[in-house]
Each structure stands twice: as C-alpha cells, then as structure tokens.
Amino acid sequence: MPVKKRSAASSASSKGKRHPDDIFPMVLTSATQELFGCLADEDVTGENPHKLLRKDDIIQDIKTRAAVSDFSPVKQIVLDYPEDELLLVFDRDFVYGQCFYLVVTPEAKDRILNPPVLQTEEVFKNEVNKTPEPQPWIPQGSEREVDAEADTETREKLRYKFSRVRRNFGSPVCFSDRNTADAKDGYLECASYQDSRFSIKQMQRDCGMQAVPRLQSSSAQTQWKFQRNVFTQYVPRQLSDEEKENVLQSDSLKKFCTSVTPRILHTLQQVQIANVFVDSWKALGAGVEDGDWAGKVYEDLALYQAFTDQKYTNNKKISTVNWHPTIYGVIAVALMKEKEERESESTPSFILFYSFSDPSNSQLLLECPDDICAFEFCPSDPNIIVGGCINGQVVLWDISAHVIHLQGTEPRSKKVSIDTDTYDLDDNKEKTPTVHYSALSAAESSHKAPITDIQWLPPTFEVTRTGSPAENKYKISVQFVTCSPDGWIMFWDLRVQKATRQPVIDAKQTTPRSDTFKHLDRMWKPLFRISLPKINTSGEYLPLKFSLEHYTCSGNKTEDDDEINDSSEVPDYSQLRLPSAKTLTALEDVNTKLYIGTEDGEIVYADWKPVRDESGRQHSGKPLHCYRVHDGMVNTVQRSPFFKDIILTMGSFNFAIWKEGVMEDLIIQSPSSEQICTAACWSLSQPAVFFIGKKDGSIEVWNLLEKTSGPAQVQAHVTDAKITCIKPWTASSKQHFLAVTDDQGLVRVLEIPKTLHSSSRSKGSSVKKYFQLEEDRLHFYLQKVDEWEKLKKEAEEAKKRTEPEKSPKEKDQPTVPSVQEWRDHQMLEESVLKEHRLWTPPANTQDT
Amino acid sequence: MLTDANCCFQAEVEETLKRIQGQKGVQGIIIVNSEGIPIKTTLDNSSTVQYAGLIHQLVMKARSTIRNIDPQNDLTFLRVRSKKNEIMIAPDKDYFLIVIQNPSD
C-alpha cells in the first residue's frame, strides 16, 4: 500500500522526488492545522518543522470527520503505529511533494528528531570533549568460547546428609585421614592408558628457537716485566764547535793534559822497548812447517795411484810425462818403443792420457807418426799439444773436440767410439778415442836427430823472424822452441806463414782430425834456428835440454793480460797471421839467453838473439859460456819455479845449481852419486826442495836448506825400473802429486807428504839468502884464486928472472930444483883445487 | 788578557797532543769528556765517535770495578791489548785520553 501511495504521490507532484518509505507526504487543511496546532508558518516553520501529534488525537479526528479528515489516507498507518506520538514535519520546500509529511515509523521519527552525529563537525567536537561513555557490549561471538570454557554444573549438586547415632551426639569427633590406597577398592581409578587407536605420530612440532651467539669475553694483560729496546736508532752526541772551543780552553782540560801526558808517554815507551805483540816462541820457528832442523822425520812419498794400460804399454817405456795444466787428475805419457822394436815393426806410437778416475784404462790417445821424446801442453790453450818425434819432426795435436773424455768421470763403458766411418768392424770392443795429429812439420826442415826438448814461449812475448823478441799482441802462446842433438835450436810458430798457402789435401783419413792446423801440415818450417858452435874449438854443441827465462810482461797492459787469459775463446790458429816485424813493438828487456845442457855434459849459456856480423847477415852468435860440469848426458835443465835466475842442471852422476848472472861458475855442485841419475825436478811448493830419480828406481829428495852433501831423504824402490821422468803437480793445497814414470810403461803418482810441500814464508827468503851466500862464496873464492894466481905468476917471474941470471953453465943444476919446485907447486895446486871441487884434469884442449 | 791565557791553554793542549802523536806507532788520539762526547781527535769522525762511545762505557765499568773492590782505590790507567794494536786510556776526573798505538809500525 505505501508503494501505491508513493507512486501516486510522486506522480502527483511535479517537482517532488521520491520520498523514503517511512514518511508520508500529506496535505493538511487549515482547519486541520488549526485543530492540531500546526499552522503553516506559525506553529511550524522552516526552522522548526517538527510537530508531534498524539496518536489518539489523530484517531479521534479520523473518527469525527471520517472521510474528510486529512488523516484518512494514513489511518492504517496511524493505527499501526506503535507509539503514542507521531511526527509531522512541515515540508516548506515541498521536497516530497506536499507541505507536510508524516513520519511513519518510529525509527525514522527518531532519526529525524535526532539527526545522526556525523552531520556536522560541531556536533562531533562536542561529543569528543565529553568523557566517553561506556558503549554497550556488542558480542562478537566470544561469549561462546567463554561459555565453552566456563565450568557449569551439569547436574545439580548432590547433597548428602550424614548423622550419627543419637547416643553419640555431642561426643567429640575424631577425624582422621586415610590413604585411598590403604584399603582395597578404596578407590576406583580410571587410569589413563595409551590407546593404540589414538597413537598419533607427531609429524611436526613447533618449537621455538632463538639463536644466541656464543660469546665469551676474556681479557689478557701482559706484564711487561723486562722492558727492553728492540731497536734503537741513535746518533752519537756531539758537541758543537763552540762548545768544543770552550772546553778546549778550559782550565780543567789543561790540568788534565799535564797530568795525563807523563803516564801515556811512559807507557808508549814501554811498548817500544819490548814489543809485546811479537810472540817470541812462535818467532823461533818451532812450528812443524818451520822446522828445518836435522832430525826431522820425513814421511815417505806415498803411492797414490798407478796407471797403466795393458793394450798399449806392453814392452814400452815412457819417455816423458806431463800433467794436464787445467783438468784435475789427468796425466799424459809418451810411449817409446825399445830400440829393437823400433827397427823391426812400425806400430803406431801413442801418447796416452790417464785420468785419476780410471787407472787401468787410458782415456784418450794421441796418435803419433813416430815415438815422441818430448811433448808439452800449450800454456794458453791446454788443448794444443806439441810433441817432438824421434825422427826430428814436430807434431801438433788439437784435442779440443775430445777434451770431454778427459774431463768427465764417467766410466769408460759409456764412451762411444768416435770413428763412425771407420772400416774397423769390431765395434763391440770399446775403443779409446784417438786423436790424429793435426800437423806435422816438414821433414826436410825439421831436426835430423830426435827432438829431446820442447818449450813453449810464454804468452807474454813472441819472436819475430829475425829473432828479436817483440810484443805478443794476442797474448797467447803461439811459438815454441825445440832442441835436438843435431846441433840446432829451432823456433817454431803456429801461425800461417806467408810462403806456404796451399795445404796439401790428405788422402783418406782413418781417424778424424781437427782442421785447426791444416795450414801447417807438411809444410811447417821453423821460424828461425840457431846453432851452437863451440866457443873455442870447432864443432857444435849438441843440446839435449834447455831452459829459457819466462818473461813476464812488465808493461802497462797488465789488466788486459788477465782479461785475455780468462777469456775462454780459442783463437782460430789458421786465421792468425805471422805479423811482420815492423808492426810489433820490440821488447828490449826480454832475457834472450838460454841455458842449454848438452850431450857431453856441458852447460852452455847462449843468446838466441842473432847478431849481425860484418857482412850484414844475421847468424846466431857464439854461446857466451860453456861449463864442463857433468859427466855424461845432461838430462835436466830446469829453472826454479820460485827464483827465475836459479837453474838446476842434472848430469848423470851429479847436479849443479846455477845462478843466472854469475857467469863464472856454478854456485852449488853436488857430490857424485853412485847411481846414475836420470830425472830431476824442482818441488813446486818449497823453494829449496827438488827430487831426483835414479836408475835403480829410487827417488831422492834434496833439501838445500837442510844439507847439500846428500839427499834429505831417499826412497828406494819406487819403481822397479829406471825412472825416466818426474813431474810434480799441485792439485790443491792439500794434494801435491809427483808423477814418476819408468822404463816399463808404468806411471806412478805419488803423494807428497805435508812436510815436504807445506811452505812457509820464511823459506823463500832463507833460500834466497843461501843462494846469495853461495854466490858470495864463489866470488870470494874466485877472487882468492885470482890473487893466488897473481902470486904464483909473480913467483914464477921472479924465478924466471933469477934463472937467466944464473949462467947457462948452471943450466942443469937450476933446472932440477926448479922442476922439483914446479912439481911441488903443481901438487899443491891440485890439492887446493880438489878441495874446492874445481879440479879439472889438465888436458891439451881445455874448455874453460 | 783572557784571550791570551786561553790561547796559551790551547797551545798547551796542542803541544801535548803533538808530543804524543810524535811517538812511534801512534795511530790516533781522542780526548773525551766525562759523558763520552769526543772533544778533540786526530781520527776521522766515525771512528772517533765509535771509539768514544765504546771506550767510555769500558772505562766506567773498569772504574766502578776498582772502586767496588776498594773504595779508596781509583783507576789510573787502562790498557787494552789486541792482536793488531793497543788502546791506552788515561782517565781523569772530567776527561779521559785515548791513544791507539800500533807497535809494529
């Protein structure tokens, strides 16, 4: 029904909008308005549009005026209205189409009468200032949970009333406790048990965790008990100059000086009087090394090793031995066949190299065209070896390609044969590497007799074609000197000589050889040669051994010497050219004199510098001196390694020591020995010691400081055969060796004991003094001899003068006593000379 | 006048030093004050400083040794002989004099 009315109302009004359901627009006539006291614009106005009407009044009105009443359309509404008063609102603006509307529901009435709070802010503010009133409880559903949790009685409480028997009323009651478990069935329990139906495995359990870092705080306190500086940097305190001046001028310093000076001077004098730093005991020279006293025990030369190679040394004797100058423990020996063998067969000759690591096998072989009597290593390049043959030719080897065989200590089994293209099918046999000679001198220009001595010229000077010494530009040894009993001493050069340019191409070579000296092969001629004509007679001296002075360049280029000596470059000998004499600076201070030992036992002192004679040609001059000292062949002429003017010469039965510069005679001569001496050499470490090898295989050690009348030590039976060569060598400060070779092809290396090789500084000076002493003695003696000669002459002359005065009639008579006197005098002379060991038997041809 | 006296003092010191220096084998002389600071020397600076510092300590030690043994005793002279040379030290109340001698010269 309201819908109809609304729609009717809405269709009726032109500007009214649809009104809500709870109000009803209606028209009230003025009579109704008067009746209810709601006259428009009088009782109800725009500001106060509300009017409450009593329901009963409205019903009364409806009853009285029935259909005419304005309230007739709302009659039902009014009757249904629960409350007593209805709201009538004056709708002045005709919002809902009529001038009044009746609120139907009490809620709307309330709403209109009491508009909601949110309408205006002022209303809200007013409400905030007030203390909030407790809101009525609005249940959200929590009362259900509360009810569930609350304990409620499910049944009524049971009440039991206990009473005692009447007779016990008033009597005290005694209550006691009783445990339920005391009586059986005192209680009934319903124990819990694990019901298997309800075993629920807890799959997940929430547990709370809080990670707490494990912290532990601790502290330490070091106790720096011992305070100590680790590093300090300090600067010494110094006084400034003014302060120093002040102090210097102060009075106290003066007093100090005056008081202190006497003490100091006294002490200084004390030190001068007795030098406390000199250890007198030590200065006595009582140390082991210094002891030269007789009674010192000499240790023997101990055999270190013996070398032999069965393949090559059978029935051969060793002519000479040499130590390799640079490689430790390598010895080279030259083998010589016996005389009979030489003529019968012509097996090749060898120079064998032995190494300490392999005493029974040779390491390297040098093939020689013939037996070698002498060979030497080149001092500036130890890979060059020059040897003198028994037929007079000079042979040259270059072992630079094979030197590795000598250096390594590998066993021989590892070595492979170097002959790859050889027709020798027996390759299984281990062959010692063989080196063919690189060059051979021209047969016609060589010696005619075996070369007995070869010496390299030191790298400090060289010799030109004319024989004058000149400066050696390259500082390498390229020249050497040979001597032979054919009477010639030849100077050879390794370099290309101008005349010969075309090397002869050799036929098929069986063993490879180096090409180092191809330029020399077959055409090698000596640079120049000198002969040794005898001084007083005709003929020539036949040199066997010689010694020249090792000249050390005293020039300015000493550093260059060291540099070039250290450089390992091997010069290409084929490229070296013989310089012309003009380009080289002549060296004036080279000692060009040689000491030569001859076949007859003479010692010849000659100058190899040729002299110009009247015709302008140069020829070798006559030797300066000749001394007849030894009987038999001279087998050693050697300069002392310590003094360059002391020479040891060794004959068959005795030796002599010469000092260069003392032209008159030798300074020391040994007594003759019973055995033939065959080899001699100076010791390398002690200036007064030298070794002599004998024919019976014994070695004598001579120490000039100890005694000169005999050897200091004799070691017999070092070898079983004749000793052919002795060479010493210093391997290290502890190891001193002596190589001894004999007639049977065996090389023995002996170790020199410490007593013989340890040297002291004082020895050199004492030896020098000794030689000087000897020289002085010699001079003194010669002087005395001169004087004596003079006296003798005067006596003779006096006699001669007295003789003619006597008449010839007394010729016979005076002659007899004079002859007698002469004979006496001769005997005296003989005895005196014999005493001084200068007795020379008078001969018709005397060489003095 | 004071300058004259001062010169005279200095000359005396110089003369003393010359006398000592003229002795055979003397290598060097150092005058050091009681704290060990060198005052006058004939050696080069680094050697002087080294000698002064080291010998000062030695002298102090030696003096205290002597006096500890007998408090009425005192150090008059100290000689240190080594392989190569000898060092002579003459101590005094305020200064000490160090002389280095090489007797083999």
Coordinates of all heavy atoms in Angstrom, one line a residue, chain A residues 719-749:
Chain A
T719 N 160.1 -47.5 -8.1 CA 159.7 -48.3 -9.3 C 160.7 -49.4 -9.4 O 161.7 -49.4 -8.8 CB 159.7 -47.5 -10.6 OG1 161.0 -47.2 -10.9 CG2 158.9 -46.2 -10.4
D720 N 160.4 -50.4 -10.3 CA 161.3 -51.5 -10.5 C 162.3 -51.2 -11.5 O 163.3 -51.9 -11.7 CB 160.5 -52.7 -10.8 CG 159.5 -53.0 -9.7 OD1 159.9 -52.8 -8.6 OD2 158.4 -53.5 -10.1
A721 N 162.0 -50.2 -12.3 CA 162.9 -50.0 -13.5 C 163.5 -48.6 -13.4 O 163.3 -47.9 -12.4 CB 162.1 -50.2 -14.8
K722 N 164.1 -48.2 -14.4 CA 164.8 -46.9 -14.4 C 163.7 -45.8 -14.5 O 162.7 -45.9 -15.2 CB 165.7 -46.8 -15.6 CG 166.4 -45.5 -15.8 CD 167.3 -45.6 -17.0 CE 166.6 -45.2 -18.2 NZ 167.6 -44.9 -19.3
I723 N 163.9 -44.9 -13.7 CA 162.9 -43.8 -13.7 C 163.3 -42.9 -14.9 O 164.4 -42.4 -15.0 CB 163.0 -42.9 -12.4 CG1 162.5 -43.8 -11.2 CG2 162.2 -41.7 -12.5 CD1 162.5 -43.1 -9.9
T724 N 162.3 -42.6 -15.7 CA 162.6 -41.8 -16.9 C 162.2 -40.4 -16.7 O 162.7 -39.5 -17.3 CB 161.8 -42.4 -18.1 OG1 160.4 -42.6 -17.7 CG2 162.4 -43.7 -18.5
C725 N 161.1 -40.1 -15.9 CA 160.7 -38.7 -15.8 C 160.0 -38.5 -14.5 O 159.3 -39.4 -14.1 CB 159.8 -38.4 -17.0 SG 159.4 -36.6 -17.1
I726 N 160.2 -37.4 -13.9 CA 159.5 -37.0 -12.7 C 158.8 -35.6 -13.0 O 159.5 -34.7 -13.5 CB 160.4 -36.8 -11.5 CG1 161.2 -38.1 -11.2 CG2 159.6 -36.4 -10.3 CD1 162.0 -38.0 -10.0
K727 N 157.6 -35.5 -12.7 CA 157.0 -34.2 -12.8 C 156.1 -34.0 -11.6 O 155.2 -34.8 -11.2 CB 156.1 -34.2 -14.0 CG 156.8 -34.0 -15.3 CD 157.1 -32.5 -15.6 CE 158.2 -32.4 -16.7 NZ 157.7 -32.8 -18.0
P728 N 156.2 -32.9 -10.9 CA 155.4 -32.6 -9.8 C 154.1 -31.8 -10.2 O 154.1 -31.2 -11.3 CB 156.2 -31.7 -8.9 CG 157.1 -31.0 -9.9 CD 157.2 -31.8 -11.1
W729 N 153.1 -31.8 -9.4 CA 151.9 -31.1 -9.7 C 151.2 -30.8 -8.4 O 151.2 -31.6 -7.5 CB 151.0 -31.9 -10.6 CG 149.9 -31.1 -11.1 CD1 149.9 -30.0 -11.7 CD2 148.5 -31.6 -11.1 NE1 148.6 -29.6 -12.1 CE2 147.8 -30.6 -11.7 CE3 147.9 -32.7 -10.5 CZ2 146.4 -30.7 -11.8 CZ3 146.5 -32.8 -10.7 CH2 145.8 -31.7 -11.3
T730 N 150.7 -29.6 -8.3 CA 149.9 -29.2 -7.2 C 148.4 -29.2 -7.5 O 147.9 -28.4 -8.3 CB 150.3 -27.8 -6.7 OG1 151.7 -27.7 -6.6 CG2 149.6 -27.4 -5.4
A731 N 147.7 -30.2 -7.0 CA 146.3 -30.3 -7.3 C 145.5 -29.4 -6.5 O 144.6 -28.7 -7.0 CB 145.8 -31.7 -7.1
S732 N 145.8 -29.3 -5.2 CA 145.1 -28.4 -4.3 C 146.1 -28.1 -3.2 O 147.2 -28.6 -3.2 CB 143.8 -29.0 -3.8 OG 144.1 -30.1 -3.0
S733 N 145.7 -27.3 -2.3 CA 146.6 -27.0 -1.2 C 146.9 -28.2 -0.4 O 147.9 -28.3 0.3 CB 146.1 -25.9 -0.3 OG 144.9 -26.4 0.3
K734 N 146.1 -29.2 -0.4 CA 146.3 -30.4 0.4 C 147.0 -31.5 -0.4 O 147.6 -32.4 0.1 CB 145.0 -30.9 0.9 CG 144.4 -30.0 1.9 CD 144.9 -30.2 3.3 CE 144.2 -29.5 4.4 NZ 143.7 -28.2 4.1
Q735 N 146.8 -31.5 -1.7 CA 147.2 -32.6 -2.5 C 148.3 -32.2 -3.4 O 148.1 -31.4 -4.3 CB 146.0 -33.1 -3.4 CG 145.1 -34.0 -2.6 CD 144.1 -34.6 -3.6 OE1 143.6 -34.0 -4.5 NE2 143.8 -35.9 -3.3
H736 N 149.5 -32.7 -3.2 CA 150.6 -32.5 -4.1 C 151.0 -33.8 -4.6 O 151.3 -34.7 -3.8 CB 151.7 -31.8 -3.3 CG 151.4 -30.4 -2.9 ND1 152.0 -29.3 -3.3 CD2 150.4 -30.0 -2.0 CE1 151.5 -28.2 -2.8 NE2 150.5 -28.6 -2.0
F737 N 151.1 -33.9 -5.9 CA 151.4 -35.2 -6.5 C 152.8 -35.1 -7.2 O 153.2 -34.1 -7.6 CB 150.4 -35.5 -7.5 CG 149.0 -35.8 -6.9 CD1 148.0 -35.0 -7.2 CD2 148.9 -36.8 -6.0 CE1 146.7 -35.2 -6.7 CE2 147.6 -37.0 -5.4 CZ 146.6 -36.2 -5.8
L738 N 153.3 -36.3 -7.4 CA 154.6 -36.4 -8.1 C 154.3 -37.6 -9.1 O 154.0 -38.7 -8.6 CB 155.7 -36.7 -7.2 CG 157.1 -36.5 -7.7 CD1 157.3 -35.0 -7.9 CD2 158.1 -37.0 -6.6
A739 N 154.4 -37.3 -10.4 CA 154.2 -38.4 -11.3 C 155.6 -38.9 -11.7 O 156.5 -38.2 -12.0 CB 153.6 -37.8 -12.6
V740 N 155.7 -40.2 -11.5 CA 157.0 -40.9 -11.8 C 156.8 -41.9 -12.9 O 155.9 -42.8 -12.7 CB 157.5 -41.5 -10.5 CG1 158.8 -42.3 -10.8 CG2 157.7 -40.5 -9.4
T741 N 157.6 -41.8 -13.9 CA 157.4 -42.8 -15.0 C 158.7 -43.6 -15.1 O 159.8 -43.2 -14.8 CB 157.1 -42.1 -16.3 OG1 158.2 -41.3 -16.6 CG2 155.9 -41.3 -16.2
D742 N 158.5 -44.8 -15.6 CA 159.7 -45.7 -15.6 C 159.8 -46.4 -17.0 O 159.0 -46.1 -17.9 CB 159.6 -46.7 -14.5 CG 158.4 -47.6 -14.7 OD1 157.7 -47.5 -15.7 OD2 158.1 -48.4 -13.7
D743 N 160.7 -47.2 -17.0 CA 161.1 -47.9 -18.2 C 160.1 -48.9 -18.7 O 160.2 -49.5 -19.8 CB 162.4 -48.6 -18.0 CG 163.4 -48.0 -19.0 OD1 163.0 -47.2 -19.9 OD2 164.6 -48.5 -19.0
Q744 N 159.2 -49.3 -17.8 CA 158.3 -50.4 -18.1 C 156.9 -49.9 -18.5 O 155.9 -50.7 -18.5 CB 158.2 -51.4 -16.9 CG 159.5 -52.1 -16.7 CD 159.4 -53.0 -15.5 OE1 158.5 -52.8 -14.7 NE2 160.3 -53.9 -15.4
G745 N 156.7 -48.7 -18.7 CA 155.4 -48.2 -19.1 C 154.5 -47.9 -18.0 O 153.3 -47.7 -18.3
L746 N 155.0 -47.8 -16.8 CA 154.1 -47.6 -15.7 C 154.2 -46.2 -15.2 O 155.3 -45.6 -15.1 CB 154.5 -48.6 -14.6 CG 153.3 -49.0 -13.6 CD1 152.3 -49.7 -14.4 CD2 153.9 -49.8 -12.5
V747 N 153.1 -45.6 -14.9 CA 153.1 -44.2 -14.3 C 152.7 -44.4 -12.9 O 151.6 -44.9 -12.6 CB 152.1 -43.3 -15.1 CG1 152.2 -41.9 -14.5 CG2 152.4 -43.3 -16.5
R748 N 153.5 -43.9 -12.0 CA 153.0 -43.9 -10.6 C 152.8 -42.5 -10.2 O 153.7 -41.6 -10.5 CB 154.1 -44.5 -9.7 CG 154.1 -46.1 -9.9 CD 155.1 -46.6 -8.9 NE 155.1 -48.1 -8.9 CZ 155.7 -48.8 -9.9 NH1 156.4 -48.2 -10.8 NH2 155.7 -50.1 -9.9
V749 N 151.8 -42.3 -9.5 CA 151.5 -41.0 -8.9 C 151.7 -41.1 -7.4 O 151.1 -41.9 -6.7 CB 150.1 -40.5 -9.2 CG1 149.8 -39.2 -8.5 CG2 149.9 -40.3 -10.7

